[in-house]
Amino acid sequence: MDGACIDHPHVDPRFDGDRRCRYIYSTWSNGMFDGEGWSTSGSPPIGWCRYDCATGKAERWVAPRGCFCEEPVIIPKDGCAEHVHPDAVDEAHTWLVGMMFDSARGVSCLAILDGGDLTVGPVCRLWLR
């Protein structure tokens, strides 16, 4: 992942311990804005990413400046579906759910992202009071 600093890796729970697992989701922490791009120093988690073990490619969503992302939970969109054989499962058909703290506002939200395309960002944010 190009030297990315990641933490809290998770997979679709239907693939826990399965070598056929394709996607690994995690927090992304390489994100100090330096005016020219990203610095190489680590930071608190400021986004989420998905690494594709089959292609070696990664995609990420970076939270707005001053927002910090917590450990993700990966939820299959069609429920757990334990009766479904792993070969018939689209691992990208998931939700990534995680808490995000907005330091400027002093509030947190539960952010929900489409596991198939993290780059579009949260499809829903549930702000806590």
Side-chain angles (χ1 to χ4, degrees):
M1 290 194 37
D2 298 327
C5 179
I6 63 168
D7 202 359
H8 308 295
H10 289 277
V11 300
D12 179 327
R14 296 169 292 186
F15 286 83
D16 275 341
D18 191 325
R19 301 177 102 188
R20 294 172 292 177
C21 173
R22 179 171 178 178
Y23 299 113
I24 300 171
Y25 299 87
S26 66
T27 56
W28 186 78
S29 302
N30 262 42
M32 307 291 279
F33 291 97
D34 63 6
E36 299 294 324
W38 301 106
S39 75
T40 57
S41 63
S43 67
I46 59 166
W48 290 290
C49 64
R50 182 184 80 180
Y51 177 74
D52 186 331
C53 296
T55 66
K57 296 185 189 245
E59 66 179 39
R60 67 177 174 251
W61 174 77
V62 178
R65 179 170 270 181
C67 293
F68 304 98
C69 302
E70 294 293 330
E71 180 175 4
V73 174
I74 308 306
I75 302 170
K77 286 184 178 178
D78 55 359
C80 195
E82 291 180 18
H83 62 281
V84 177
H85 191 277
D87 290 339
V89 172
D90 176 3
E91 286 182 73
H93 194 65
T94 59
W95 298 112
L96 180 150
V97 179
M99 295 300 296
M100 181 173 68
F101 176 67
D102 183 335
S103 64
R105 295 175 51 202
V107 294
S108 294
C109 73
L110 179 69
I112 302 171
L113 290 80
D114 183 342
D117 187 1
L118 297 184
T119 64
V120 298
V123 297
C124 180
R125 293 179 185 156
L126 303 169
W127 292 98
L128 304 178
R129 292 192 238 188

